[in-house]
Amino acid sequence: MIGADLRAFAAVDDAEDPVPLIRALDVGKSYPGMRSAEAAIMAALRLDGARAVLDVGCGLGSDAIGTAAEVAPGARVTGIDVSRTMVAEAGRRAAEAGADVSFVCGSALDLPFADGEFDRCRAQTLLQHLPDAPRAIAEIARVLRPGGRAVAFEFDLGSTVLDHPDRATTRTVLDYVADAALQGWIGRQLPRLYREAGFTDITVEPHLVFNDYAFFLFTMRRPLAQLVKDRVLTARQVVSWKGRLEQMHAEGHYLGGTTGYLVSATRT
């Protein structure tokens, strides 16, 4: 999502109040572009006949809960996330929905599961937060059985668009956000990384996800402050840039979004 303060989302357990971050995640998933992408992810998983499905980086659990509604009776759905806050909230939501999903706290870089334990695996907006994306993909390959399906969806922050009359400052801001992320270009790298991990039958689908002005401002608070702290921009430049964006929003002209890439692949 455009301008996402990725490190804040990744460090939700350390937040004094995680509620705003949780709300932001819910808002982000509500956009039409994300709903369309998630429907495509579900189709790409090919859940017919699936007996064990893993959601790596499950977050608030909505995707795992949705998956549980699509699999055959008796199939096992498991979600794993490194955040204790996310796992607790996911468990609460699953119980409230009456969904049969197990949630585990653990790292995508060292999945606590046996080799070949799952026949489907999904990872959505996970790799952009990790210091070692290839290792996470290797772990996904390890826990999938031969012939199992892996589906990933990641934003490419280098593809972010924002309509603003100050092109130079906008370019500086968006490039800074992409470069500050752990894996700012992960979307475009997905096909190669899955191929290098030994996956075959790889397909790629781009999905442009537009967001709104309020979400953009929420996720840009820390990056804009850091731009000033790092002396990339002056405080006056940031205030002027934000003021012009606010004016555009008030006039009904706000437009911003980021392209995400959906990659599906087969474990050899």
Side-chain angles (χ1 to χ4, degrees), residues 3-170:
D5 187 351
L6 300 179
R7 294 178 189 271
F9 289 125
V12 63
D13 286 349
D14 299 325
E16 292 184 9
D17 181 8
V19 172
L21 293 174
I22 290 173
R23 287 176 178 166
L25 288 173
D26 282 331
V27 169
K29 290 181 76 65
S30 72
Y31 293 124
M34 277 307 304
R35 292 200 297 269
S36 174
E38 288 172 356
I41 292 168
M42 196 71 74
L45 280 168
R46 302 176 187 172
L47 291 172
D48 287 349
R51 304 305 301 170
V53 183
L54 178 64
D55 184 0
V56 185
C58 63
L60 298 172
S62 59
D63 298 318
I65 293 169
T67 300
E70 297 294 328
V71 297
R76 178 166 59 99
V77 177
T78 303
I80 182 169
D81 201 282
V82 73
S83 166
R84 299 182 304 277
T85 302
M86 294 293 184
V87 167
E89 178 63 14
R92 185 193 68 78
R93 294 185 181 197
E96 187 177 79
D100 186 13
V101 184
S102 299
F103 292 102
V104 179
C105 191
S107 172
L109 302 178
D110 187 17
L111 293 174
F113 306 111
D115 294 0
E117 186 171 339
F118 298 93
D119 47 29
R120 303 288 189 277
C121 181
R122 63 179 295 153
Q124 183 174 330
T125 60
L126 162 74
L127 299 176
Q128 60 192 19
H129 301 293
L130 302 181
D132 191 346
R135 179 174 173 180
I137 295 172
E139 277 292 277
I140 288 172
R142 180 184 65 79
V143 302
L144 274 175
R145 64 167 176 79
R149 292 284 293 171
V151 177
F153 180 84
E154 294 288 343
F155 286 104
D156 189 304
L157 297 183
S159 71
T160 296
V161 295
L162 178 69
D163 184 21
H164 195 294
D166 185 346
R167 292 173 60 178
T169 302
T170 301

Side-chain angles (χ1 to χ4, degrees), residues 145 200 215:
R145 64 167 176 79
T200 59
F215 185 83

Side-chain angles (χ1 to χ4, degrees), residues 228-247:
V228 175
K229 184 177 180 180
D230 292 346
R231 299 184 179 180
V232 177
L233 294 174
T234 67
R236 184 183 296 273
Q237 285 176 301
V238 168
V239 169
S240 174
W241 185 80
K242 286 179 63 179
R244 187 66 182 92
L245 189 64
E246 181 179 3
Q247 181 182 352

